[in-house]
Amino acid sequence: MQVVLISTYDMGRQPFGLASPAAWLRKAGHDVVCADLAVSQLPVSQIQTAGMVAFHLPMHTATRLAAPLIERVRRLNGNAQICCYGLYASINEEYLRRIGATHILGGEFEADLVRLAEGLEPGGAPVAKLDFVEPDRSSLPDLSRYAKLRVLGGGRTVGYTESSRGCKHLCRHCPVVPVYQGAFRVIQREVVLADVRQQVAAGASHITFGDPDFWNGPSHAMRIVEALHAELPDVTFDATIKIEHLKRHRDLLAPLRDAGCLFVTSAVESVDDDVLMKLDKGHTRADFLSVVDDFRRTGLTLVPTFIAFLPWTTRESYAEFLRVIRALDLIENVSPVQLALRLLIPAGSRMLELDEIRGLVTGFDQRALTHQWQYADDSMNSFAARIFAIAGEAHKRGRTRTETFNTVWRETLHEDLDLLPRAAIPYLDEPWYC
């Protein structure tokens, strides 16, 4: 069967979510076309002759971009199976079926995509354990067309892989939770290393590990990066790790640094302990401050991410958020969009367990793929919109993080800060994170 795999958006990365199932399908004898619409066009002629068209939906933005394309694919080829797979496929199943999807697959999708291509019904559990094969990136766009690592005034080509899926934790706002429900699945070490090798051979000198949490299995993760460093000592990497894990396994920070880690992204979300408890984050403000100190002592760079506008955010709490970033000297560590993100409440979110959230939402917007909510104080809605506009304009005009923070500070506290520019930390030049 001819199968077309489509990615609409994957945060500026060459999609693992196409490369992995492509390998499985080709191994089973199917003809696979991979289309990453972030950097290429919809393959109309191949869609018209395909037996199956499958959309990878790992996140909110990707799903919203896919929706009109699903309807277009149905018009182009009314006989094709249309499959949606990934985190946001599962939690938006009703809507996706209504607009034309015939099959919905969850987080562990490779084996079931093969079954569909062979005319069988999906047979595995949504998070079944799989024996992975080396991803096939041969038909994906060149790595040079994706996000770059910016460091020391230059740019490096970046590869992307995953060493695990799912998460052991149940953070209330996280989209991983409705699908994996605390399950955690590893990808075999040799498969991960083989995937890294092929990307390094294609020009990558830095690798992003895209696991929801790289230290859900710290031993597994460290064995991979230590083997990577022994084989390819000039290759650097970054990963995402919970504050809770960074604190618990602080003894691994120096080995992580020595293996070539340039920075760690961590979802801090808030600096208010009451809010952190409501989000069920598993860490406190003091834990965050402690981890910042640990990173400084170790010589690692921490990249904290936040949900700046939560239902409990006030002008005063937002000002305190900015003061903490400034006091910790983290202005250059925080992407401007992190000063502006607003809580998304997707279908199936644990946020709806909270009475105050259920009382706040005004309904589920299927096209926006989120439960809608507004501040009771309309001035907060306007303020949040202004901060988002500042972040967007900063990205459009190429303003520095310090310049943007200055602007946000003035908008919030009505006083001049006028910080001097600081040396930029290593960062990927794709700014969005959802």
Side-chain angles (χ1 to χ4, degrees), residues 148-156 423-427:
K148 298 290 190 297
L149 173 74
R150 300 297 172 184
V151 58
L152 300 176
R156 296 186 194 171
I425 66 160
Y427 67 96

Side-chain angles (χ1 to χ4, degrees), residues 302-318:
L302 181 68
V303 177
T305 64
F306 300 94
I307 306 173
F309 291 97
L310 292 147
W312 308 283
T313 303
T314 64
R315 284 290 286 261
E316 292 74 20
S317 69
Y318 187 81

Side-chain angles (χ1 to χ4, degrees), residues 149 156-161 163 196 200 204-211 214-215 221-230 232-241 252-265 300-301 303 426-428:
L149 173 74
R156 296 186 194 171
T157 299
V158 178
Y160 172 86
T161 195
S163 70
V196 172
V200 171
S205 59
H206 180 88
I207 299 294
T208 291
F209 287 96
D211 311 39
F214 196 52
W215 278 358
M222 294 306 296
R223 282 195 292 267
I224 287 172
V225 295
E226 287 166 355
L228 169 61
H229 186 65
L232 298 165
D234 295 329
V235 174
T236 56
F237 67 92
D238 69 271
T240 298
I241 305 175
L252 294 179
L253 292 179
L256 191 73
R257 174 203 63 204
D258 294 344
C261 184
L262 288 187
F263 62 92
V264 172
T265 301
L300 270 171
T301 296
V303 177
Y427 67 96
L428 301 178

